[in-house]
C-alpha cells in the first residue's frame, strides 16, 4: 500500500520520496517459474511486469511484457522457458530514499514504466508512473474524500 493513500493534508510534491509512493504489495515469481505461468499471472493480475526473486527476496531479474513478446516473436514456447530464460537481468532499480523527482527523470530518460525498489539487493516494492501521478494528485489535494 502506498503511503500517499493516507495523506490527510496537502504536501509539497517535490519532497516526496519513493517510500511515499511505492507499492509494497507485489506479485513476484522465482527463477524457475514457467513463462506461460508468468504470462497468465500478468494477464490475470493486469500487471505489465513481474520481479523475479530468490526465496530471500533477492532481486535477480524482471519479466516484462516486452520480454514475453520477444520470446514469442522468436517462436519459442513459453511453456518450456523459465523466468531465468526470459528475464531481463540488468534491471534498473531505485531506493526508497530517492526523491520522486529523480525517479521521474529516470523513467523519462530510460523510457520505463515502472522500476523495482530495493534495499541492498532485496526487493521491497515497486514504483510505476501511475503511482507517481496518483501521489502528485494526493499531495496537492487539500481535501480527499
Amino acid at each position: 500500500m502506498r503511503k500517499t493513500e493516507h495523506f490527510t493534508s496537502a504536501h509539497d510534491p517535490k519532497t516526496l520520496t519513493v517510500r511515499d509512493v511505492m507499492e509494497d504489495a507485489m506479485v513476484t515469481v522465482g527463477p524457475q517459474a514457467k513463462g506461460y505461468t508468468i504470462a497468465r499471472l500478468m494477464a490475470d493480475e493486469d500487471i505489465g511486469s513481474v520481479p523475479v526473486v530468490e526465496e530471500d527476496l533477492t532481486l535477480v531479474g524482471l519479466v516484462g511484457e516486452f520480454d514475453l513478446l520477444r520470446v514469442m516473436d522468436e517462436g519459442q514456447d513459453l511453456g518450456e522457458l523459465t523466468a531465468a530464460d526470459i528475464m531481463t537481468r540488468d534491471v534498473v532499480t531505485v531506493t526508497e530514499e530517492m526523491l520522486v523527482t529523480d525517479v521521474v527523470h529516470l523513467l523519462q530518460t530510460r523510457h520505463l514504466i515502472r522500476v523495482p525498489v530495493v534495499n541492498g539487493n532485496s526487493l521491497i516494492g515497486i514504483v510505476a508512473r501511475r503511482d507517481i501521478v496518483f501521489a502528485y494528485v494526493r499531495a496537492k489535494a487539500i481535501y480527499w474524500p
Side-chain angles (χ1 to χ4, degrees):
M1 178 171 292
R2 300 179 206 103
K3 238 176 116 176
T4 51
E5 292 181 38
H6 300 290
F7 282 179
T8 57
S9 61
H11 291 70
D12 180 357
K14 293 178 184 166
T15 65
L16 294 176
T17 64
V18 169
R19 182 182 302 109
D20 296 322
V21 303
M22 73 180 198
E23 182 63 59
D24 59 3
M26 303 159 291
V27 175
T28 63
V29 297
Q32 298 308 313
K34 293 292 186 185
Y36 178 80
T37 302
I38 297 168
R40 177 137 187 204
L41 179 66
M42 289 169 58
D44 289 348
E45 296 292 328
D46 193 26
I47 54 179
S49 67
V50 179
V52 182
V53 296
E54 298 289 350
E55 286 184 34
D56 64 356
L57 292 181
T58 298
L59 180 68
V60 294
L62 188 77
V63 175
E65 295 162 324
F66 181 81
D67 298 307
L68 294 174
L69 290 173
R70 176 181 43 81
V71 297
M72 290 165 50
D73 187 46
E74 292 169 355
Q76 298 186 58
D77 183 353
L78 288 177
E80 298 296 320
L81 299 172
T82 65
D85 299 326
I86 301 168
M87 69 186 184
T88 297
R89 294 175 188 277
D90 187 22
V91 180
V92 175
T93 62
V94 297
T95 64
E96 60 185 331
E97 294 83 21
M98 285 181 71
L99 289 174
V100 168
T101 53
D102 294 334
V103 177
V104 168
H105 179 74
L106 176 70
L107 294 173
Q108 296 280 74
T109 59
R110 299 290 298 266
H111 304 284
L112 301 170
I113 297 170
R114 66 193 64 76
V115 289
V117 182
V118 296
N119 183 354
N121 292 328
S122 295
L123 180 69
I124 59 170
I126 197 156
V127 64
R129 294 183 302 200
R130 68 177 160 212
D131 298 323
I132 294 170
V133 171
F134 175 84
Y136 180 85
V137 170
R138 286 300 296 253
K140 295 293 275 183
I142 295 171
Y143 170 74
W144 190 273

